[in-house]
Amino acid sequence: MSSPNIRDPEQWVPRELFAAYCGEESGSMLAYYDKAKTKRKAIVFSFDWLAFFVLPAWLGYRRQWALWATLTVSIAVITAGAALLDVHVPGGAFGGGLIAMALMARGLLLTSANSLYSKLKQRGLAADAIRAELANKAAPSVGLAIAGLLGALVVQGLVAALARLAR
């Protein structure tokens, strides 16, 4: 089977499976899906309050742990590197990057769903098995949102403290 063309919305995860992926109360995510499909781009800027103000919490809320780890480790490494090298990194660099990522958060979620859907189809799974695999993978969870926020703060705080001690 050839690789799917991510620019072709006909190869994206179907709308009803994306709804299952996002869990109950997925109305805003389905509105985003429709907007993205109309524009034929998986990543279209959109605004989500939680993602905009507390991105690590949003990533936990939507169970996007690979993105959470990438974001958290990237910030921690930059913070530690700057402290060890005695280089000042402007807060705007972090803020700007976080705002951009927050505005793309829903698109990153759709991209993640498309990727998983494509992998499941390539494995030759039946429609019911694909639906079962996708179900609630990004379902909202307040507890995981809190874990995502606290985890990011702890990791970044510990790395920053260790970097200051190492100087």
Side-chain angles (χ1 to χ4, degrees), residues 36-51:
K37 197 155 189 177
T38 299
K39 293 189 180 233
R40 302 183 59 84
K41 294 180 183 179
I43 298 181
V44 178
F45 285 126
S46 71
F47 189 81
D48 182 291
W49 285 101
L50 184 59

Side-chain angles (χ1 to χ4, degrees), residues 2 4 8 19-21 24 29-30 35-36 47 57 78 113 122-123 125 129 143 147-148 150 158 167:
S2 64
D8 180 7
Y21 180 78
E24 292 182 24
M29 295 306 302
L30 290 178
K35 176 182 173 181
F47 189 81
I78 292 169
Q122 286 178 348
R123 286 182 25 204
L125 295 179
L150 293 177
L158 285 174
R167 282 196 304 157

Side-chain angles (χ1 to χ4, degrees), residues 54-61 65 68 72 142-158:
V54 198
L55 185 58
W58 187 88
L59 292 170
Y61 182 70
W65 297 111
W68 178 90
T72 302
V142 173
L144 292 177
I146 293 167
L149 176 60
L150 293 177
L153 291 173
V154 167
V155 168
Q156 293 166 11
L158 285 174

